[in-house]
Each structure stands twice: as C-alpha cells, then as structure tokens.
C-alpha cells in the first residue's frame, strides 16, 4: 500500500509541474506582448511547445494507465494473501476441533475385564494385551507349552491366523474402538482432501496424538477388512506408522501388507 501511495504522489507532482509550466507560458505571453498582434506573434513562437505538451499529455496518460494496472496487480496480490489466510484459518479451526473430538473419544473409552474397569489410554493398553492373548491362543489352542516355545509358535503363525485373531478382537471391542478408528481416519482424510496446506506438517501433528500401543492397533486395523480399502492407502501415503515399535507385536508378518512408505514420512 505504501508503494501505491508513492506512485500516486508522483502522478500529482507531474500534473502540478505541467500546470505550473502552462501558467508560466501564458503569463509570459501577456507580460512580454503589449497588444494582441504582438501576443499572437509571441504565441506563435510556442507552436512547437504545444505539440510537446500534447505529447507529454499522452505520455502522462500512458504512465497513469500503467501505474493503475500495477496498483490493481498489487491489490489482487493482497486480496489473494487475505484469501489464503482465511482458508488456512478455516482449515485449522476444523482440524483442531477434530483433534479435540478424537482425544475426547480416547479419554472416555472404557473397557471391563472381570472386576476391573479401565479408562482412556489405559483401556487401550489392556485391549492390546487382550489382542496378544487372542493371537497366542491361535498358536497353542488348548496345548500347554513353555513360554519360549509359545513365542516361537506365535512367530510362525501365518497372515490368515493373525488377521483372524484381530477380527475376533475387533468384534469383541467393536462398541469402543469402531468410533475411535473412524474419528482418526476422518482427521487424516480431511488433511488429504484440503488443498494449499502443508499436509506433512498437519499429518505430523495428528500422528503425535497416538501412543506406541495405539500405533500397533492402527497397524492391524489398516490391513483388516475395516481399513483395507480406505485407510491403508492413506497410511501408506503419509507414513502414519512412522516410529512403530515392532517389539510390541508378537508377530509382524502383516508388515508386508504395507508399502515401505507407511513406516516413514516421505
């Protein structure tokens, strides 16, 4: 805006100088010539000046048009900046509301195991322990075996066995975790479909809401029938499983179901 003001000042200065020059010439005409004949003769001396002033007027018009065009471009750029700022503010308002809702869902999650009631992220830890027990049962059934042999048996389970164990786990806790998974999925999708934002930055903020155990559950959910079609492509694209601690999982055979990009931010 300061540049626009300076340009307008130049136009007024140019116009003022032109007026002063014209008035000076007319005054000189009346001052140096005593009668109308002399004034006419004196005025004829400035015929070339008339052409010069006409040319200067034309140049001034062109300069004015160019400056106005530049002003319009500057104003258009300022308007675009304002539009971009409003777009970002609207996005961030919705984004942080979604994050707040997701954390609220997480904190109010509750599961009962026997006489014990677990809430919030403690409930998620206990659910993950239950999942591990279901996976172990897929390995040993009703057999009795040592811990070492059990761990080896679990590691040798195939993909179908692990997925069957997770589906059993999901159905057992569907009441609590279905909304939980959907909520986070919609946060990622909202980032994905919004244009002209730093998507990696906002994805990293969303990921920071997840604990190590939560990443494990999202790992399983992403390759389950519930997340395979819609959520897994986003996990692959945005590295949502970055930092996943595989030591928290008794069997990692499903890792091959993901692209390598799922485990780091591109």
């Amino acid at each position: 805006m300061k540049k626009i003001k300076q340009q307008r000042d130049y136009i007024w200065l140019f116009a003022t100088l032109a007026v002063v020059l014209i008035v000076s010439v007319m005054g000189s005409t009346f001052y140096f010539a005593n009668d109308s004949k002399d004034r006419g003769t004196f005025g004829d001396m400035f015929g070339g000046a008339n052409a010069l002033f006409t040319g200067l007027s034309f140049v001034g018009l062109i300069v004015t048009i160019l400056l106005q065009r530049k002003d319009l471009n500057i104003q258009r750029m300022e308007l675009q900046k304002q539009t971009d700022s409003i777009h970002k503010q609207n996005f961030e308002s919705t984004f942080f509301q979604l994050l707040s809702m997701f954390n609220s869902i997480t904190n109010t999650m509750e599961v009962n195991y026997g006489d014990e009631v677990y809430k919030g992220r403690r409930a998620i830890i206990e659910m993950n322990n239950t999942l591990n027990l279901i996976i172990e049962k897929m390995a040993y059934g009703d057999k009795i075996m040592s811990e070492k042999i059990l761990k080896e048996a679990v590691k040798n389970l195939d993909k179908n066995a692990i997925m069957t164990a997770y589906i059993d786990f999901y159905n057992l806790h569907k009441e609590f975790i279905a909304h939980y998974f959907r909520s986070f999925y919609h946060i990622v999708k909202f980032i994905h479909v919004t244009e002209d934002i730093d998507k990696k930055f906002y994805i990293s903020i969303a990921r920071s809401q997840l604990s190590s155990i939560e990443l494990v559950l999202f790992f399983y959910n992403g390759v389950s029938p519930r997340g395979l079609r819609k959520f897994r492509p986003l996990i692959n694209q945005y590295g949502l499983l970055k930092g996943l601690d595989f030591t928290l999982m008794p069997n990692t055979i499903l890792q091959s179901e993901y692209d390598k990009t799922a485990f780091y931010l591109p």
Side-chain angles (χ1 to χ4, degrees), residues 227-243:
L228 185 64
R229 186 170 63 89
K230 293 183 178 180
F231 201 14
R232 185 175 66 168
L234 296 179
I235 294 175
N236 285 331
Q237 182 173 349
Y238 294 110
L240 291 176
L241 297 177
K242 179 186 176 183

Side-chain angles (χ1 to χ4, degrees), residues 145-159:
M145 57 183 68
S146 67
E147 183 177 349
K148 181 178 180 180
I149 295 176
L150 174 60
K151 287 183 178 181
E152 192 64 30
V154 170
K155 288 181 180 180
N156 290 329
L157 287 173
D158 60 20
K159 294 180 180 180

Side-chain angles (χ1 to χ4, degrees), residues 75-97:
Q75 292 174 358
R76 190 180 296 112
M77 291 173 62
E78 292 293 332
L79 180 61
Q80 185 62 48
K81 288 180 181 179
Q82 294 177 5
T83 302
D84 293 343
S85 178
I86 293 172
H87 170 70
K88 183 178 179 180
Q89 290 175 5
N90 290 338
F91 165 79
E92 288 190 343
S93 176
T94 303
F95 172 70
F96 286 111
Q97 286 178 12

